[in-house]
Amino acid sequence: KQEVTQIPAALSVPEGENLVLNCSFTDSAIYNLQWFRQDPGKGLTSLLLIQSSQREQTSGRLNASLDKSSGRSTLYIAASQPGDSATYLCAANSNSGYALNFGKGTSLLVTP
Amino acid sequence: DGGITQSPKYLFRKEGQNVTLSCEQNLNHDAMYWYRQDPGQGLRLIYYSQIVNDFQKGDIAEGYSVSREKKESFPLTVTSAQKNPTAFYLCASSSHGGLYEQYFGPGTRLTVT
Protein backbone atom coordinates (compact mmCIF):
# COMPACT_ATOMS: atom_id res chain seq x y z
CA LYS A 1 0.00 0.00 0.00
CA GLN A 2 1.24 3.44 -0.89
CA GLU A 3 2.10 5.40 2.28
CA VAL A 4 2.30 9.19 1.96
CA THR A 5 3.96 11.53 4.45
CA GLN A 6 3.97 15.33 4.49
CA ILE A 7 6.47 17.52 6.28
CA PRO A 8 6.11 19.94 7.97
CA ALA A 9 2.67 19.51 9.54
CA ALA A 10 2.36 23.27 9.92
CA LEU A 11 4.17 26.28 8.51
CA SER A 12 3.90 30.02 9.10
CA VAL A 13 5.61 32.51 6.76
CA PRO A 14 5.41 36.25 6.14
CA GLU A 15 3.74 37.46 2.98
CA GLY A 16 6.00 37.53 -0.08
CA GLU A 17 8.19 34.59 0.87
CA ASN A 18 8.80 31.69 -1.46
CA LEU A 19 8.16 28.34 0.23
CA VAL A 20 8.40 24.61 -0.33
CA LEU A 21 6.07 21.90 0.95
CA ASN A 22 7.35 18.35 1.02
CA CYS A 23 5.69 15.04 0.30
CA SER A 24 7.23 11.56 0.38
CA PHE A 25 5.79 8.24 -0.73
CA THR A 26 6.86 4.64 -0.23
CA ASP A 27 5.98 2.92 -3.51
CA SER A 28 8.08 4.18 -6.42
CA ALA A 29 5.73 2.43 -8.85
CA ILE A 30 3.63 5.55 -8.81
CA TYR A 31 1.07 6.29 -11.49
CA ASN A 32 0.32 9.85 -10.58
CA LEU A 33 0.64 12.34 -7.75
CA GLN A 34 -1.85 15.08 -7.05
CA TRP A 35 -1.63 18.21 -4.89
CA PHE A 36 -4.77 19.65 -3.35
CA ARG A 37 -5.74 22.68 -1.33
CA GLN A 38 -8.36 22.51 1.43
CA ASP A 39 -9.86 25.51 3.19
CA PRO A 40 -11.41 24.97 6.65
CA GLY A 41 -14.67 23.02 6.45
CA LYS A 42 -14.51 22.78 2.66
CA GLY A 43 -13.84 20.15 0.04
CA LEU A 44 -10.57 19.68 -1.78
CA THR A 45 -9.48 21.81 -4.72
CA SER A 46 -7.11 20.14 -7.17
CA LEU A 47 -3.98 22.24 -7.75
CA LEU A 48 -1.66 20.11 -9.85
CA LEU A 49 -1.47 16.56 -11.18
CA ILE A 50 1.88 15.03 -12.09
CA GLN A 51 1.84 11.81 -14.04
CA SER A 52 4.64 9.29 -13.57
CA SER A 53 6.24 10.18 -16.89
CA GLN A 54 6.50 13.87 -15.90
CA ARG A 55 9.07 15.61 -13.71
CA GLU A 56 7.09 18.73 -12.89
CA GLN A 57 3.96 20.75 -13.48
CA THR A 58 3.37 24.47 -13.17
CA SER A 59 0.28 26.57 -12.65
CA GLY A 60 0.70 30.26 -12.00
CA ARG A 61 2.77 30.71 -8.82
CA LEU A 62 2.73 26.98 -8.10
CA ASN A 63 5.28 24.44 -9.25
CA ALA A 64 5.20 20.76 -8.30
CA SER A 65 8.03 18.33 -8.92
CA LEU A 66 8.18 14.56 -8.83
CA ASP A 67 11.23 12.37 -8.18
CA LYS A 68 10.16 8.75 -8.28
CA SER A 69 13.58 7.33 -7.50
CA SER A 70 13.76 9.13 -4.17
CA GLY A 71 10.03 8.87 -3.47
CA ARG A 72 9.54 12.62 -3.16
CA SER A 73 7.45 15.46 -4.46
CA THR A 74 7.65 19.14 -3.62
CA LEU A 75 5.16 21.95 -4.04
CA TYR A 76 6.82 25.32 -4.54
CA ILE A 77 4.75 28.45 -3.91
CA ALA A 78 6.27 31.68 -5.15
CA ALA A 79 5.61 35.09 -3.62
CA SER A 80 3.17 33.79 -1.01
CA GLN A 81 -0.01 35.76 -0.21
CA PRO A 82 -2.39 35.65 2.77
CA GLY A 83 -4.96 34.06 0.45
CA ASP A 84 -2.65 31.06 0.13
CA SER A 85 -3.37 30.17 3.78
CA ALA A 86 -4.94 26.71 3.75
CA THR A 87 -4.09 23.05 4.24
CA TYR A 88 -2.19 21.47 1.36
CA LEU A 89 -2.63 17.77 0.76
CA CYS A 90 -0.50 15.44 -1.30
CA ALA A 91 -1.95 12.21 -2.66
CA ALA A 92 -0.48 9.40 -4.73
CA ASN A 93 -1.61 6.17 -6.25
CA SER A 94 0.42 3.29 -7.50
CA ASN A 95 0.04 1.16 -10.58
CA SER A 96 -1.65 -1.51 -8.52
CA GLY A 97 -4.46 0.64 -7.19
CA TYR A 98 -7.13 3.06 -8.33
CA ALA A 99 -7.56 5.05 -5.16
CA LEU A 100 -5.47 7.95 -3.99
CA ASN A 101 -3.52 7.59 -0.75
CA PHE A 102 -3.34 10.86 1.13
CA GLY A 103 -0.83 12.46 3.44
CA LYS A 104 -2.10 14.26 6.53
CA GLY A 105 -1.42 17.65 5.02
CA THR A 106 0.60 20.77 5.74
CA SER A 107 -1.30 23.64 7.32
CA LEU A 108 0.06 26.89 5.85
CA LEU A 109 -0.42 30.35 7.35
CA VAL A 110 0.79 33.37 5.40
CA THR A 111 0.83 36.48 7.58
CA PRO A 112 0.44 40.03 6.17
CA ASP B 1 -21.83 24.73 -14.04
CA GLY B 2 -20.04 21.38 -14.07
CA GLY B 3 -19.13 19.86 -10.78
CA ILE B 4 -19.89 17.60 -7.86
CA THR B 5 -22.66 18.31 -5.40
CA GLN B 6 -23.07 16.76 -1.98
CA SER B 7 -26.08 17.15 0.23
CA PRO B 8 -26.76 18.00 2.90
CA LYS B 9 -23.82 20.09 4.09
CA TYR B 10 -24.51 19.23 7.73
CA LEU B 11 -26.32 16.14 9.01
CA PHE B 12 -27.24 15.18 12.53
CA ARG B 13 -28.45 11.72 13.53
CA LYS B 14 -29.09 9.71 16.62
CA GLU B 15 -27.02 6.63 17.29
CA GLY B 16 -28.57 3.50 15.80
CA GLN B 17 -30.09 5.22 12.78
CA ASN B 18 -28.99 4.66 9.21
CA VAL B 19 -28.32 7.78 7.15
CA THR B 20 -27.72 8.30 3.42
CA LEU B 21 -25.37 10.93 2.02
CA SER B 22 -25.97 12.15 -1.50
CA CYS B 23 -23.32 12.68 -4.20
CA GLU B 24 -24.13 13.81 -7.74
CA GLN B 25 -21.77 14.78 -10.58
CA ASN B 26 -22.43 16.27 -14.02
CA LEU B 27 -18.85 15.90 -15.29
CA ASN B 28 -19.67 12.70 -17.20
CA HIS B 29 -17.04 10.91 -15.12
CA ASP B 30 -16.97 7.11 -15.02
CA ALA B 31 -15.36 6.69 -11.60
CA MET B 32 -16.64 7.92 -8.26
CA TYR B 33 -15.24 7.66 -4.72
CA TRP B 34 -16.17 8.17 -1.09
CA TYR B 35 -13.56 9.27 1.44
CA ARG B 36 -13.77 9.97 5.14
CA GLN B 37 -11.73 12.70 6.85
CA ASP B 38 -11.09 12.82 10.58
CA PRO B 39 -9.12 15.51 12.47
CA GLY B 40 -5.38 14.86 12.34
CA GLN B 41 -5.74 12.07 9.80
CA GLY B 42 -5.50 11.97 6.06
CA LEU B 43 -8.44 11.07 3.89
CA ARG B 44 -9.30 7.37 3.91
CA LEU B 45 -11.12 5.55 1.12
CA ILE B 46 -14.48 3.98 1.96
CA TYR B 47 -15.78 2.76 -1.42
CA TYR B 48 -15.15 3.43 -5.07
CA SER B 49 -16.94 2.67 -8.32
CA GLN B 50 -15.38 2.52 -11.76
CA ILE B 51 -18.60 1.97 -13.73
CA VAL B 52 -22.34 1.80 -13.20
CA ASN B 53 -23.57 -1.20 -11.20
CA ASP B 54 -20.07 -2.00 -9.95
CA PHE B 55 -18.21 -0.88 -6.83
CA GLN B 56 -15.32 -2.03 -4.62
CA LYS B 57 -14.53 -1.71 -0.94
CA GLY B 58 -11.83 0.65 0.14
CA ASP B 59 -9.73 0.57 3.31
CA ILE B 60 -12.56 1.28 5.76
CA ALA B 61 -15.76 -0.11 4.20
CA GLU B 62 -17.12 -1.78 7.34
CA GLY B 63 -20.42 -0.21 8.42
CA TYR B 64 -20.99 1.54 5.08
CA SER B 65 -22.87 0.62 1.90
CA VAL B 66 -23.14 2.19 -1.54
CA SER B 67 -25.01 1.84 -4.83
CA ARG B 68 -24.25 2.98 -8.35
CA GLU B 69 -27.44 2.73 -10.38
CA LYS B 70 -26.72 5.84 -12.45
CA LYS B 71 -23.47 7.26 -13.77
CA GLU B 72 -24.19 10.61 -12.14
CA SER B 73 -24.99 9.36 -8.64
CA PHE B 74 -23.12 7.47 -5.92
CA PRO B 75 -24.99 7.62 -2.59
CA LEU B 76 -23.33 6.43 0.63
CA THR B 77 -25.31 4.89 3.50
CA VAL B 78 -23.80 5.02 6.95
CA THR B 79 -25.35 2.14 8.86
CA SER B 80 -25.78 1.62 12.57
CA ALA B 81 -22.95 -0.93 12.35
CA GLN B 82 -20.41 1.86 11.80
CA LYS B 83 -18.89 2.29 15.26
CA ASN B 84 -17.59 5.83 14.89
CA PRO B 85 -19.59 7.57 12.16
CA THR B 86 -19.02 11.22 13.14
CA ALA B 87 -16.70 12.60 10.45
CA PHE B 88 -16.42 14.77 7.34
CA TYR B 89 -17.39 12.79 4.23
CA LEU B 90 -16.03 13.71 0.81
CA CYS B 91 -17.16 12.45 -2.57
CA ALA B 92 -14.91 12.57 -5.64
CA SER B 93 -14.96 11.60 -9.29
CA SER B 94 -12.51 11.12 -12.14
CA SER B 95 -12.87 10.55 -15.86
CA HIS B 96 -11.50 7.02 -15.65
CA GLY B 97 -10.75 4.74 -12.76
CA GLY B 98 -8.34 6.40 -10.43
CA LEU B 99 -5.59 7.05 -12.90
CA TYR B 100 -6.72 10.55 -13.76
CA GLU B 101 -7.24 13.75 -11.86
CA GLN B 102 -9.81 13.46 -9.09
CA TYR B 103 -12.28 16.25 -8.39
CA PHE B 104 -13.98 16.65 -5.04
CA GLY B 105 -17.34 17.83 -3.80
CA PRO B 106 -17.84 20.27 -0.90
CA GLY B 107 -18.35 17.52 1.68
CA THR B 108 -20.98 16.53 4.25
CA ARG B 109 -20.28 16.83 7.95
CA LEU B 110 -22.09 14.05 9.81
CA THR B 111 -22.57 14.19 13.56
CA VAL B 112 -24.02 11.20 15.37
CA THR B 113 -24.97 11.53 19.04
Side-chain angles (χ1 to χ4, degrees), chain B residues 2 14 27 36 44 48 50 56 60 70 78 98 104 106 111:
Chain B
K14 295 288 189 186
L27 300 168
R36 169 184 171 138
R44 292 180 291 169
Y48 67 99
Q50 299 173 53
Q56 285 78 39
I60 55 165
K70 298 187 300 182
V78 184
F104 280 75
T111 302

Side-chain angles (χ1 to χ4, degrees), chain A residues 1-105:
Chain A
K1 185 182 185 298
Q2 181 75 272
E3 302 286 344
V4 179
T5 304
Q6 291 186 250
I7 295 174
L11 181 63
S12 180
V13 300
E15 182 177 5
E17 257 195 30
N18 302 325
L19 59 100
V20 174
L21 306 181
N22 296 294
C23 172
S24 61
F25 48 91
T26 54
D27 186 354
S28 61
I30 190 170
Y31 197 89
N32 63 42
L33 186 140
Q34 202 167 346
W35 283 93
F36 295 90
R37 168 186 173 136
Q38 186 176 32
D39 292 287
K42 306 289 187 184
L44 276 61
T45 299
S46 178
L47 298 174
L48 290 164
L49 171 74
I50 311 177
Q51 295 183 340
S52 63
S53 59
Q54 299 171 323
R55 296 281 296 188
E56 65 179 319
Q57 282 284 350
T58 298
S59 176
R61 294 183 293 109
L62 305 179
N63 176 278
S65 67
L66 176 63
D67 184 342
K68 291 190 295 180
S69 61
S70 67
R72 294 186 184 189
S73 176
T74 61
L75 179 66
Y76 175 83
I77 303 177
S80 59
Q81 303 170 358
D84 294 330
S85 298
T87 297
Y88 290 81
L89 295 162
C90 168
N93 63 1
S94 58
N95 291 338
S96 61
Y98 284 94
L100 287 172
N101 297 285
F102 282 82
K104 295 182 181 180

Side-chain angles (χ1 to χ4, degrees), chain B residues 8 11-22 62-66 76-83 85 89 110-113:
Chain B
L11 194 51
F12 298 88
R13 281 293 183 269
K14 295 288 189 186
E15 206 171 294
Q17 293 179 334
N18 292 354
V19 59
T20 298
L21 282 59
S22 168
E62 185 175 348
Y64 299 98
S65 66
V66 293
L76 173 74
T77 297
V78 184
T79 74
S80 57
Q82 167 49 233
K83 294 188 182 349
Y89 290 86
L110 172 65
T111 302
V112 177
T113 57

Side-chain angles (χ1 to χ4, degrees), chain B residues 40-102:
Chain B
Q41 299 201 38
L43 276 71
R44 292 180 291 169
L45 181 69
I46 304 172
Y47 268 97
Y48 67 99
S49 168
Q50 299 173 53
I51 56 172
V52 174
N53 293 322
D54 185 56
F55 46 83
Q56 285 78 39
K57 292 182 179 179
D59 298 324
I60 55 165
E62 185 175 348
Y64 299 98
S65 66
V66 293
S67 63
R68 186 87 188 275
E69 297 176 1
K70 298 187 300 182
K71 187 175 185 178
E72 304 78 26
S73 179
F74 191 40
L76 173 74
T77 297
V78 184
T79 74
S80 57
Q82 167 49 233
K83 294 188 182 349
N84 197 11
T86 295
F88 189 47
Y89 290 86
L90 289 156
C91 178
S93 70
S94 64
S95 60
H96 297 284
L99 306 180
Y100 294 81
E101 191 167 5
Q102 286 191 24

